[in-house]
């Protein structure tokens, strides 16, 4: 595909994010994303149950160093979030919501590539093994048994790159804590899940 010649169509990508199901979407400079080595180490200690299960999580991702290299190359970013009742994340619907988050960032990435931003990359949350391949013993890519089963949706988790998501929410002007006065057991308590797409 040809390199981009048109101006960056921010509004189109923001509208796409909302039409795909995001509650909020914001355009920022990629350089505003804060990456911390210490945050990426949380995947290892205490070891996350998803550690090593898919190419989307450590130790199979390039981590903070890899993300910083991408930031040098890719100038723009679209950040998205889905606001939802906290209780949903503790219910059987969790997988569906996390799957939607992956589909949103993958959809924005695809559109950006179509626009000519051929190196654009989406990042979501959670392990694609748990979200998309929970019924399979192993990730097909890691077991070298073929291609990814869900290339149109599955994207790497931000955690493994040490992305400071709370700060990202602040940068976007979104409160990291919503309904802070409500207990998590409150059925009306709300929370969010977030993802981002580097554009370039
Ligand atoms: S096959 Fe694809 S979606 Fe499934 S765990 Fe592997 S990388 Fe993730």
């Amino acid at each position: 595909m040809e390199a981009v010649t048109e101006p960056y169509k921010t509004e189109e990508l923001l509208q796409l994010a909302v039409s795909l199901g995001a509650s909020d979407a914001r355009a920022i400079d990629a350089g505003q994303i804060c990456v911390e080595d210490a945050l990426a180490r949380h995947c290892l200690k205490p070891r996350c149950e998803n550690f090593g299960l898919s190419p989307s999580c450590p130790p199979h991702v390039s981590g903070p160093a890899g993300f910083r290299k991408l930031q040098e190359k890719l100038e723009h970013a679209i950040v998205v979030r889905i606001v939802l009742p906290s209780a949903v994340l503790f219910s059987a619907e969790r997988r569906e919501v996390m799957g939607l988050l992956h589909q949103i960032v993958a959809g924005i990435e695809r559109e950006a590539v179509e626009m000519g931003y051929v190196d654009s990359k989406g990042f979501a949350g959670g392990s694609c093994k748990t979200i998309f391949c929970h019924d399979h013993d192993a990730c097909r890519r890691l077991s070298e048994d073929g291609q990814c089963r869900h290339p149109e949706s599955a994207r790497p988790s931000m955690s493994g790159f040490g992305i400071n998501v709370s700060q990202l929410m602040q940068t976007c002007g979104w409160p990291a804590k919503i309904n802070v006065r409500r207990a998590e057991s409150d059925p009306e308590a709300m929370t969010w899940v977030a993802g981002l797409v580097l554009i370039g």
Side-chain angles (χ1 to χ4, degrees), residues 53-56 128-129 132-133 139-141 147-150 154:
L53 293 186
S54 78
S56 308
C128 62
K129 171 71 177 66
F132 298 110
C133 288
C139 165
R140 201 190 260 165
R141 277 183 61 196
Q147 302 287 316
C148 173
R149 297 180 184 97
H150 300 276

Side-chain angles (χ1 to χ4, degrees), residues 12-25 80 104 108:
E12 266 184 39
L13 293 179
L14 294 176
Q15 281 172 17
L16 174 66
V18 172
S19 71
L20 290 174
S23 311
D24 302 298
V80 298
I104 293 169
I108 298 168

Side-chain angles (χ1 to χ4, degrees), residues 6 11 18 31 44 46-47 50 54 57 63 87 95 100 108 112-113 122-123 133 144 149 157 164 173 186 188 193:
E6 291 185 52
E11 264 320 305
V18 172
L44 187 60
R47 184 177 283 228
N50 297 321
S54 78
C57 288
R95 202 176 284 144
L100 175 63
I108 298 168
V113 169
F123 300 83
C133 288
E144 297 185 352
R149 297 180 184 97
S157 172
N164 185 330
D186 183 336
E188 291 182 41
V193 291

Side-chain angles (χ1 to χ4, degrees), residues 82-158:
I82 302 171
V83 176
L84 71 164
S86 304
V88 171
L89 286 187
F90 298 96
S91 75
E93 285 176 77
R94 176 191 172 92
R95 202 176 284 144
E96 203 177 308
V97 172
M98 299 310 290
L100 175 63
L101 179 65
H102 280 247
Q103 283 156 12
I104 293 169
V105 295
I108 298 168
E109 176 196 284
R110 226 171 358 257
E111 185 64 24
V113 169
E114 284 290 314
M115 287 176 175
Y117 292 93
V118 294
D119 292 325
S120 298
K121 289 205 180 338
F123 300 83
S127 160
C128 62
K129 171 71 177 66
T130 336
I131 298 166
F132 298 110
C133 288
H134 49 95
D135 286 337
H136 297 274
D137 285 343
C139 165
R140 201 190 260 165
R141 277 183 61 196
L142 285 188
S143 58
E144 297 185 352
D145 195 24
Q147 302 287 316
C148 173
R149 297 180 184 97
H150 300 276
E152 74 294 340
S153 309
R155 291 297 177 274
S157 172
M158 291 191 288

